[in-house]
Amino acid sequence: MFAGSPGNTSSFLQTTGTGTDPAAPGATPATPATPATPATPGAPGAGATPATPATPATPATPAAGAPGATPPAVAVPATVPITPATPSAAAFLAAAYQDGLTEIRLAQLAQTRGESSGVKEYANAMIEHHTVVNAQIQQLAQQKGVTLPSDITAEQAAEVTRLSALTGLQFDRDYMWENVLTHRLDLAEAMRQARNSDDLNARYFAAISAPLLKTHLGFGEGLLQRLDPAAFVAFTYQSSLAEIEWAELALERATDEDVRRFAQSMIDEHTEANDRITAFNETKDLPLPTEINPEQQAISEELARFSGADFDRAYMDVNVIAHAKATLAARTQMSGDGRDVDVRGLARSLEPDLAGHFVRSSELARNITPSFLYSAAQSNLAEIRLGYLGGLRSTNAGVSAYGQRLASEHTPVQVQLEQLAQSMDMVLPIELSPEQQLAYSALVRAQGQTFDAGFAAYSERLHDEAIERFTEESQRPTNQQTQAFAQAQLPVLTAHRDEARALLSGLGGQVQSGLQQLQALRDTL
């Protein structure tokens, strides 16, 4: 999706924000595009007060063939020493655990009350993934001396009760609204913990779990917009609000003149787009957001950390993702999936500009070279996150062992990168690049030989790119610290790349078929 132009309309990868959405359940618009009028779902967050302990829900047995039949691991790297939990880390783990319990319980409802096959597929994935993630939280909490709540909060329990009374399309819409709002909040909190936590174990847990939450959120947002055209209108309007805020920041911090010109055009063109949506809404009377959502706010906070070329690249990457998502959402409404004729017309009027923004942002991003530490840290985080994915998901012993080794051996490298950045008064990214997130999301959905071939091939590609980057730095005498670091890491990177190639060779005839299936999966994102 991010390599050229937006693909078709399926959306397992959508990276948008979190927060109070006026179009969410609880609003009362009066048009065919209007969702039903349920109460606003609970908003989980760190430090939530647990309800009186009760018997927790027992996760259902995962359905065969659902996306991510073996969920990804989200364990804290074994090479990071386990320390007693700080109060903020304990609150974060408790809230994440309760949110997982809630996701499992609601997904069980969706298996019997949902109408859409997409909703049931999503529910299966939520049960499978959150069961594994909660097991990892339990393990980490036990090691850190944290007592986890035994049940969900009273507010979350009320939401389960409310959804239990619904069926069919009304259930599907309300269930997906709850999931989008919850995952937006959880992703924003994970990003903040990954960036700022005073507890190293919680920080790494959050950093490793964030791409999975992005994948859940993307799938949920895309599915909700197909079920409820009002969500498309609200999300598109809110995305423009975020684009304007990010562009205003870019006018303050960007150093590349092309990036600054792009930012000004985003202010102008997204202001005009929202004026168009407002005019459209005069007859629809749909609830429109008045502010950006929590994930978008977390992205603003992330961007504000950077300067120079690192800011320019981070800003353009954010635009690549946001405009790819917005273009795909518009095309979904324009297709047979669009349930409201007027919203289809609005989407048709917005799509050319959104697609143009995607192409322009992609071209600009490719032409910006961030600092060595920025790109090295982003690549290293991708290798850790994908390593955990391979370690748990692969049924091939060699691929699984390789994945575990990647996660284990790249984790201390991340610690070194953080120390280097601190000594040089620099900051490191916590977000994957658009391509890295796309690969992660495609692999989350892949199984069997498709997963093995895709995982090994992408690991080889990641390491090829890293070797090129580290070789250049090792030969550049401008900074002795980064030069020495690059020289020391090259043998490890080369060994990992060679092992990925050997795995691909060992997979033999499975490779071509697996890669073709993975590419087909990537094309649907």
Side-chain angles (χ1 to χ4, degrees), residues 306-324:
F306 297 108
S307 60
D310 289 355
F311 174 88
D312 294 343
R313 181 57 181 266
Y315 171 66
M316 294 317 306
D317 278 351
V318 164
N319 272 276
V320 171
I321 294 173
H323 286 109

Side-chain angles (χ1 to χ4, degrees), residues 82 93 135-148:
I82 302 294
L93 293 175
Q136 300 291 351
I137 294 174
Q138 286 178 310
Q139 180 183 6
L140 179 58
Q142 184 176 20
Q143 293 171 325
K144 293 179 71 65
V146 174
T147 300
L148 295 174

